[in-house]
Amino acid sequence: HYAGILGADSAEIRSVLDELAQEFLAMGPAIVGFKLGGDGLLLYGANRARMRGFAAHVPNATEWTDRVVEQRSFQVDVVDTTGAGDAAYAGLIKGLLHALAPQDVAWLACACGAASVAGPDAVSGLVEWTNLRDQFLRRRTRASNLLRNQAV
């Protein structure tokens, strides 16, 4: 065996990710996510029973119940991808801790990842929340009032 090649279209890949997410959720986490690099992010919320325990940590946990959230990546000039995943995870955690709506959490994660890759290293592209919001909000087709007005 020298190499294996898997050919799949985006619908097949999405189907596999949907199945994999359900398997992971069955193991106990409240939210499962897949970073898709330049294609964005997929987040999956667990069932109502699992979300009850999560609500002790995230005030709007019920908004995640049985949700699938998809967020496309932002188109930026990529300088260096070092730290992009870490920046995206930081955005995700910040959004969760500030009880942003699920779509806004995904938006924030992708915006942080996009800002990160625009710099020559892991942190140079990162900016303050208000600058990040201003930089990427105009690229968002449907931003909630919560995200526009939230002082995070």
Side-chain angles (χ1 to χ4, degrees), residues 3-123:
I5 298 174
L6 172 64
D9 65 24
S10 60
E12 291 171 319
I13 292 170
R14 175 64 186 264
S15 177
V16 169
L17 291 176
D18 288 347
E19 288 179 33
L20 195 55
Q22 294 310 310
E23 289 181 31
F24 285 140
L25 288 169
M27 294 178 195
I31 298 172
V32 169
F34 297 103
K35 291 186 316 123
L36 305 174
D39 290 327
L41 176 71
L42 275 171
L43 299 172
Y44 298 81
N47 62 32
R48 186 176 314 281
R50 180 65 186 113
M51 284 300 165
R52 279 195 290 273
F54 191 52
H57 308 287
V58 175
N60 66 334
T62 56
E63 291 183 43
W64 287 90
T65 303
D66 296 318
R67 287 284 299 269
V68 178
V69 179
E70 184 173 1
Q71 175 65 47
R72 304 285 306 158
S73 291
F74 294 101
Q75 299 303 309
V76 296
D77 293 328
V78 176
V79 176
D80 185 0
T81 60
T82 303
D86 294 332
Y89 290 134
L92 178 110
I93 292 166
K94 184 175 183 85
L96 288 172
L97 292 176
H98 287 274
L100 297 182
Q103 189 64 51
D104 294 336
V105 170
W107 178 92
L108 182 57
C110 284
C112 288
S116 174
V117 302
D121 55 39
V123 296

Side-chain angles (χ1 to χ4, degrees), residues 116-129:
S116 174
V117 302
D121 55 39
V123 296
S124 296
L126 299 177
V127 296
E128 293 291 324
W129 161 250

